[in-house]
Amino acid sequence: MSEVKEILKKKNLRVTPMRLQILDLMFHASAAVSQKSIEAKLKDFDRITLYRTLKSFEEKGIIHKIEDGTGLNKYAMCADCDEHHHHDEHVHFNCNKCGDTFCLEDMEPPSFVNKTKHQIEQFNIVLKGTCEMCLN
Amino acid sequence: MSEVKEILKKKNLRVTPMRLQILDLMFHASAAVSQKSIEAKLKDFDRITLYRTLKSFEEKGIIHKIEDGTGLNKYAMCADCDEHHHHDEHVHFNCNKCGDTFCLEDMEPPSFVNKTKHQIEQFNIVLKGTCEMCLN
DNA sequence: TCAAATTTTGCAACATAGTTGCAGAAAGGA
DNA sequence: TCCTTTCTGCAACTATGTTGCAAAATTTGA
């Protein structure tokens, strides 16, 4: 728990019980978490505050938002992001069965041959299928 | 207009003024359209009916839904989809400035080296940047 | 062309996700 | 401890999407 406390302090965010709980939860989560799944675990807290907490975490570069196409925003800890730059351009995987989303930080992102006249600056890649857990 | 009429008949959908207008609009659109942009153009029609129209078009394989990460569902005509199978696994491009989304049907989708234990079945790739129009 | 069967539409009501303003509470520093 | 700043929780609101149902429109075929 003091590990997440350090993160908050380093980012100049006040250490509150809610923030500690949320960050602790994400720190130990194996998959990316949605706001809904956080709400399910911390039912004493206010929905709006949770939105704002996640927003400020994201702005400070503690977590990154994942658009996995399920319509639900999900969040995961950033390996090495800060408030100036997010390094979250890794591939994500979304399970069609359980809906969980994982960061595939080891997977090499592909390069694209740009035949178009559009200027490509970032990408969002979500692989879909059946996750390790659901296969068994 | 009779071209889109044929599409509806072929798919066993009744030919109604609303469907003709929506399909005609999508047929001539250069970018993928969101429900919102359709509403802006066809303001005489009911919001709920529009949802259901898009849904039935999608089910019949006339259009495909694009998850471009903007949170808004967008739709584009299917080049060769039918109700049994969607062939919409091409790369999409989303402009950060104007928000428009395009199908890059010419772009070769990359292959992924699967080092994980997850089973990959589909993918969703959205390239982001500045589109041709916004560059000029 | 008209009536019956079927599909589609539009309304009401509801559900969920997300946002803003503001007052009071809590955290952190002196 | 007190003061400043930040955070929280409430109320109210917007946008997006869904379901049930009755009325309207379309299609089929006599």
Side-chain angles (χ1 to χ4, degrees), chain B residues 38-95:
Chain B
I38 299 176
E39 274 172 19
K41 282 170 191 164
L42 312 179
K43 39 200 149 194
D44 285 346
F45 287 102
D46 186 62
R47 201 175 56 95
I48 293 105
T49 308
L50 181 49
Y51 275 107
R52 285 192 276 223
T53 303
L54 292 172
K55 203 173 179 180
S56 64
F57 283 3
E58 197 192 352
E59 282 164 3
K60 293 287 183 176
I62 301 174
I63 61 178
H64 65 274
K65 191 192 278 186
I66 305 170
E67 298 161 344
D68 66 1
T70 59
L72 283 183
N73 285 333
K74 294 192 183 159
Y75 299 89
M77 300 291 295
C78 289
D80 65 335
C81 295
D82 57 45
E83 56 259 69
H84 307 300
H85 199 65
H86 277 265
H87 298 270
D88 56 347
E89 285 225 321
H90 46 261
V91 177
H92 290 105
F93 178 87
N94 173 241
C95 178

Side-chain angles (χ1 to χ4, degrees), chain A residues 70-82:
Chain A
T70 59
L72 283 182
N73 285 334
K74 293 190 184 159
Y75 299 89
M77 300 291 293
C78 290
D80 65 334
C81 295
D82 57 44

